[in-house]
Amino acid sequence: MDEKVMKLIEKLGNCQAKCNYCFNACLEEDDVKMMVKCIKLDKECAEICALTLFSVASKSSLYKEVVQLCAKACEECAEECRKYPDQHCQECAKACQECANACKNFV
């Protein structure tokens, strides 16, 4: 596998893990209602990262479109997570932005 593919796979896996962690941590916050959008975007982003990982690793015929969708999902999740001071949200935002950038560089 070439270096570009390996870098993207690494960023996708990290983003998926950080989104899943943030998702669960948000559910444990005192004011979960305030975090609903963050929680939904964490879940969606993690699932899209998983799909993108599969798509890129298996050289799917639609991988470019999937990677572009992933970049959009990661940017939206990063934007939402940046709104919260919690460490898990800030780490998630960073991972999502890095993943979005890797997706854009890939396609």
Side-chain angles (χ1 to χ4, degrees), residues 78-92:
E79 187 179 328
E80 183 63 23
C81 283
R82 274 189 213 103
K83 295 176 183 177
Y84 304 97
D86 308 277
Q87 185 177 353
H88 57 86
C89 286
Q90 292 301 310
E91 288 178 6
C92 185

Side-chain angles (χ1 to χ4, degrees), residues 69-82:
L69 174 65
C70 189
K72 185 176 183 340
C74 288
E75 285 183 334
E76 285 181 21
C77 191
E79 187 179 328
E80 183 63 23
C81 283
R82 274 189 213 103

Side-chain angles (χ1 to χ4, degrees), residues 8 12 47-57 66-67 70 103:
L8 179 59
L12 287 163
E47 290 174 358
I48 291 173
C49 283
L51 170 66
T52 307
L53 246 168
F54 172 80
S55 181
V56 169
V66 175
V67 171
C70 189
C103 286

Side-chain angles (χ1 to χ4, degrees), residues 1-17:
M1 242 182 248
D2 78 21
E3 194 176 316
K4 205 171 165 184
V5 173
M6 291 305 296
K7 182 176 173 127
L8 179 59
I9 287 173
E10 177 189 327
K11 296 295 182 188
L12 287 163
N14 185 52
C15 186
Q16 181 184 12

Side-chain angles (χ1 to χ4, degrees), residues 12-55:
L12 287 163
N14 185 52
C15 186
Q16 181 184 12
K18 297 285 182 171
C19 283
N20 281 324
Y21 182 82
C22 188
F23 170 84
N24 286 302
C26 285
L27 288 174
E28 294 175 7
E29 292 290 336
D30 291 334
D31 190 0
V32 175
K33 277 193 172 222
M34 178 184 87
M35 315 271 319
V36 168
K37 186 173 181 186
C38 186
I39 292 166
K40 285 182 177 182
L41 288 173
D42 283 339
K43 185 171 181 347
E44 179 179 67
C45 189
E47 290 174 358
I48 291 173
C49 283
L51 170 66
T52 307
L53 246 168
F54 172 80
S55 181

